[in-house]
Amino acid sequence: FIGYGLLLASLFTGGVSGFIAMILAYDRAGQCGPVPATHLRFQLKIFWICFALTLAAAALGLGGLFALLRSMPFSHPEFHGQPDAQLVSIADLGPVPATVQTWSYGFELHEGRLPPAVALQMTAGGLMLAGAILFSWIGPIYGIVRLAAGRPIGQLRAPVV
């Protein structure tokens, strides 16, 4: 039960308790009966699947953020001080009309949205992160229920002769 509890807490500890659960599972793998061994293997699967999904989500999210930052004006010196358009107000504000300038951020905004490739990349990263969070909760809860009932996860392995 300790390993499952540590896996549940890993969301709140930044993965540190999940790492401890992984170490405990590897340490106890050869020292227990067949039913607990299935639970230890399941705990390792939970850890590694969540770890891989979190890494992939971080790579996609940071890649999307990097693409967005690369398109900002501070990364393109040719955009500094060059207005895309100049709008003159129609209102009578005095002898000199007020002007407003707008600057390009280096990418085409499609009707006020992010570029499709960046939006898709960041959405995929968010979905992967959501999957990791869900699996980091559903997996241990499923394991706790099975362990409390004394049931294995999956099939018991036949002893090696």
Side-chain angles (χ1 to χ4, degrees), residues 60 64-65 67-68 113-127:
L60 286 171
L65 182 63
L68 193 60
R113 295 177 293 174
L114 287 173
V118 174
L120 181 65
Q121 184 175 0
M122 294 183 89
T123 300
L127 289 173

Side-chain angles (χ1 to χ4, degrees), residues 61-95:
L62 289 175
L65 182 63
F66 179 72
L68 193 60
L69 289 175
R70 289 272 305 146
S71 64
M72 292 295 182
F74 54 81
S75 65
H76 297 286
E78 65 271 9
F79 289 113
H80 288 278
Q82 297 177 8
D84 290 338
Q86 190 174 34
L87 305 174
V88 178
S89 71
I90 301 173
D92 184 18
L93 297 175

Side-chain angles (χ1 to χ4, degrees), residues 25-80:
Y26 274 123
D27 183 53
R28 295 179 182 173
Q31 306 169 3
C32 60
V35 172
T38 64
H39 287 276
L40 293 175
R41 283 193 301 274
F42 186 59
Q43 290 171 14
L44 290 170
K45 285 179 186 178
I46 292 169
F47 174 80
W48 287 115
I49 288 170
C50 289
F51 184 75
L53 284 173
T54 302
L55 279 182
L60 286 171
L62 289 175
L65 182 63
F66 179 72
L68 193 60
L69 289 175
R70 289 272 305 146
S71 64
M72 292 295 182
F74 54 81
S75 65
H76 297 286
E78 65 271 9
F79 289 113
H80 288 278

